[in-house]
Amino acid sequence: MQEKKYLKWYNMVGYGFGDIAGNVVYAFLSSFVMIYLTNTVGLNPGVVGTLIAASKFFDGLTDVFFGTMIDKTKSRLGKARPWMLYAYIGCAVTLVAIFAIPVDMGKTSQYIWFFLAYTLLNAVFYTANNIAYSALTALVTKNSKERVQMGSYRFIFAFSTSLLIQSITVKAVAIFGGGAFGWRTVAIIYAVIGLAVNTLSVFSVKELPEEELNKSEYPADFTEERENSTSEKYGLLEAMRLLASNRFYLMICGVYILQQIYSAMINMGIYYMTYVLKNENLYGVFSWAVNIPLIVALIFTPALVAKWKGMYRLNLRGYILGTLGRALVVLAGYMGSVPLMLLFTGVAALGQGPWQGDMNAVIASCSEYTYLTKQKRVDGTMYSCTSLGVKLGGGLGTAIAGWLLAASGFDGSALVQSEGCIRMLYIMYLWIPMIISLIITLILSKMNVEETNEKLKAEQGR
């Protein structure tokens, strides 16, 4: 039976614009906040890492909260779109605040300024915006193929934006005079762009009515039971219990967190290029080697999902290739061959691309698993794993990077770093990403939620 279609191509493109807005914040912050704080503001990377880790405590308290609030929201715009629209205003303001720390302020005040702005951005505004944006995948269509296509469009824009920001930011800061003024000016420009495209994304799609979302092909008595149980109200603790009982949700959270730690280590490439390869402009070149293959993989992901009849095989085989690619990057790094490093970086990214494109659809399947086993619809809460993973993993990754830099004796004012620091940069940029990729591959080998759902439907007489 052919699935009903809900979206036009321009709805999917408009939806994808939301990840331009998201990565205007995330890619800029994750790629450059540490080097801005250490080399421009003059803060200690170890202290910054500790503050980021402390900030994650607050993040952990807000993810499921905002997911639950989205599930309970009723408005003219729907459940998720109001949160996505209004939360981004706070994202824009706090992003600028992070890159506008007064350089003549006392060190203690600078640390406090950074901690408050960073925590507000991540724990409040980015959380609400990102969970709402991700939840739209399950709220604007029930068509599994359209969900995969939405994920592909989304991450094509995400990686394109990351590529652009990683390629032009260093030069843009220099164009605006460098130093604190240069960073602040670039942050303001990015914030304004983000506001515009986020608003466009919000109004490019329309959420389905509640009755359409809950409409089912189940037998009449079973459907009535589902609808009655779905309408029951549940609180934050109940939502957390539902998530904790879903093993696939826990696996996706783990993968998301590991992915963001992986990305944080790759973003430390700005240090690797500056102090190991002696050319900071290579950071933009390596960004092309990462993002172009990812975009290519995303373009073909919907077709490959259809060919292999599901996402499980594609994701697993892709990450096996990705892990092999990262292992070869390690080898090329010790050989000192930049061309080979670029080649194998591209191979790794190509393998990791399909998961990036279809993971929102996988999360939708995880939400369906909760619906099939617990008779509760928790779409917004389920997508808390996206925000939890991005913020906890990204923050933890940046914190770990700060601690490792401090432990290695990194000196932001020095043109040449110590041998101990150089060895640490090898570990951070080469070894840690390869090990994380291997762990993710092992987790994905257990994440066959689609097959599990089909078995449950068969048992329930669907």
Side-chain angles (χ1 to χ4, degrees), residues 171-247:
K171 292 181 180 178
V173 170
I175 289 172
F176 288 108
F181 179 80
W183 285 106
R184 182 171 64 250
T185 303
V186 170
I188 292 171
I189 293 171
Y190 287 165
V192 171
I193 293 172
L195 276 170
V197 293
N198 181 75
T199 302
L200 177 61
S201 180
V202 167
F203 291 102
S204 68
V205 292
K206 185 177 181 180
E207 295 181 32
L208 297 175
E210 194 96 23
E211 56 272 19
E212 175 69 16
L213 287 171
N214 292 331
K215 188 164 62 177
S216 174
E217 301 282 331
Y218 290 96
D221 56 342
F222 185 72
T223 301
E224 182 179 357
E225 178 186 344
R226 292 285 171 133
E227 289 175 347
N228 290 337
S229 60
T230 301
S231 65
E232 294 175 6
K233 294 182 179 180
Y234 61 91
L236 181 60
L237 292 179
E238 173 68 6
M240 294 178 68
R241 186 189 69 78
L242 289 169
L243 296 183
S245 66
N246 187 327
R247 68 182 187 274

Side-chain angles (χ1 to χ4, degrees), residues 160-355:
S160 298
T161 305
S162 294
L163 173 60
L164 184 62
I165 287 177
Q166 291 165 356
S167 299
I168 70 172
T169 295
V170 172
K171 292 181 180 178
V173 170
I175 289 172
F176 288 108
F181 179 80
W183 285 106
R184 182 171 64 250
T185 303
V186 170
I188 292 171
I189 293 171
Y190 287 165
V192 171
I193 293 172
L195 276 170
V197 293
N198 181 75
T199 302
L200 177 61
S201 180
V202 167
F203 291 102
S204 68
V205 292
K206 185 177 181 180
E207 295 181 32
L208 297 175
E210 194 96 23
E211 56 272 19
E212 175 69 16
L213 287 171
N214 292 331
K215 188 164 62 177
S216 174
E217 301 282 331
Y218 290 96
D221 56 342
F222 185 72
T223 301
E224 182 179 357
E225 178 186 344
R226 292 285 171 133
E227 289 175 347
N228 290 337
S229 60
T230 301
S231 65
E232 294 175 6
K233 294 182 179 180
Y234 61 91
L236 181 60
L237 292 179
E238 173 68 6
M240 294 178 68
R241 186 189 69 78
L242 289 169
L243 296 183
S245 66
N246 187 327
R247 68 182 187 274
F248 298 110
Y249 172 83
L250 298 177
M251 282 190 275
I252 286 182
C253 277
V255 171
Y256 242 115
I257 291 168
L258 287 169
Q259 278 184 306
Q260 297 306 315
I261 296 174
Y262 174 99
S263 295
M265 292 300 147
I266 295 297
N267 288 333
M268 290 303 105
I270 187 69
Y271 289 93
Y272 188 88
M273 309 309 160
T274 301
Y275 299 109
V276 176
L277 299 182
K278 308 296 184 182
N279 184 357
E280 66 179 12
N281 291 321
L282 281 174
Y283 182 67
V285 178
F286 273 85
S287 296
W288 281 78
V290 170
N291 289 290
I292 294 300
L294 282 172
I295 293 169
V296 170
L298 289 170
I299 292 171
F300 291 101
T301 293
L304 290 173
V305 169
K307 180 179 179 180
W308 286 343
K309 295 179 172 55
M311 298 172 279
Y312 172 72
R313 293 183 183 85
L314 175 61
N315 293 334
L316 179 57
R317 292 170 182 174
Y319 249 90
I320 291 172
L321 176 63
T323 302
L324 175 61
R326 288 311 307 182
L328 292 173
V329 171
V330 174
L331 179 62
Y334 281 98
M335 290 171 56
S337 174
V338 172
L340 284 179
M341 287 183 70
L342 288 167
L343 173 63
F344 296 134
T345 294
V347 170
L350 190 67
Q352 294 165 357
W355 166 253

Side-chain angles (χ1 to χ4, degrees), residues 425-445:
L425 291 175
Y426 273 89
I427 292 171
M428 292 166 64
Y429 188 68
L430 300 180
W431 285 101
I432 294 179
M434 187 272 288
I435 293 169
I436 290 176
S437 184
L438 176 60
I439 296 172
I440 291 175
T441 302
L442 295 175
I443 295 174
L444 291 180
S445 70

